[in-house]
Amino acid sequence: MVGEVAGAVDGTALPADARVVDEFRDGRAGTVVVAAVTDDASAGAAVLAAVRGSLLVLDASSLSAEAIDRLCDDLRRLGAVDRRDGRPRPAPSADAVVDDDGIAVLRRLAQGQHLGEAAAALHLSRRTADRRLAAAKDALGAASTVEAIVIAKERGLLA
């Protein structure tokens, strides 16, 4: 099963002595919890397993987008999160340019602000900030916000 988990987290080396479990209650340092998050209770259990030191591979596809965002925000407070939604990576638009508002949103997110905080600081509605972020991700060919931030940094857009 460790091979399957390694495939699920490609590019991330698992400890040789990692113990793979499928229940959050077994989560502690040295374990990899592979489980589904289906509601607020299991999301809370996942966060507690991360606090105890477990690595997590989660399927949160049954949650709403807002619940997934909250879960990822909570987990980011504890460490790195590699969020994947299973969709193919979009091709970067050849003629699309990230506008100043999109860069401003990405810059604030790169500094650790949540989208709502970035929107308030930029005097935008949350929905407008979300649209600016989506346009920036499309222009950069990024499948996730983290990927958009990395690409923007590599291109010198966030300097």
Side-chain angles (χ1 to χ4, degrees):
M1 185 167 196
V2 172
E4 294 172 22
V5 174
V9 291
D10 57 327
T12 303
L14 295 177
D17 59 345
R19 189 171 70 94
V20 178
V21 298
D22 61 1
E23 294 186 28
F24 296 116
R25 64 182 165 78
D26 295 332
R28 61 183 171 277
T31 62
V32 178
V33 179
V34 181
V37 177
T38 57
D39 54 23
D40 287 341
S42 58
V47 172
L48 286 175
V51 167
R52 291 186 201 116
S54 290
L55 298 174
L56 304 176
V57 178
L58 304 175
D59 175 2
S61 59
S62 63
L63 297 179
S64 68
E66 295 81 19
I68 293 171
D69 287 343
R70 284 193 309 269
L71 175 60
C72 288
D73 286 344
D74 289 344
L75 292 173
R76 278 190 195 99
R77 290 182 181 99
L78 302 171
V81 173
D82 180 5
R83 181 177 175 177
R84 301 177 188 184
D85 62 9
R87 294 180 295 192
R89 179 180 172 159
S93 176
D95 59 347
V97 176
V98 183
D99 65 8
D100 291 340
D101 286 340
I103 291 171
V105 170
L106 285 173
R107 185 174 291 123
R108 297 232 175 224
L109 296 176
Q111 294 169 351
Q113 291 184 351
H114 300 283
L115 186 58
E117 295 169 329
L122 296 169
H123 306 290
L124 301 171
S125 72
R126 164 73 192 239
R127 186 171 177 164
T128 299
D130 190 46
R131 287 184 188 147
R132 301 286 192 269
L133 176 59
K137 289 181 349 187
D138 287 345
L140 295 169
S144 69
T145 301
V146 172
E147 188 177 9
I149 291 169
V150 169
I151 293 169
K153 281 184 178 181
E154 288 172 351
R155 294 186 184 176
L157 298 175
L158 303 183

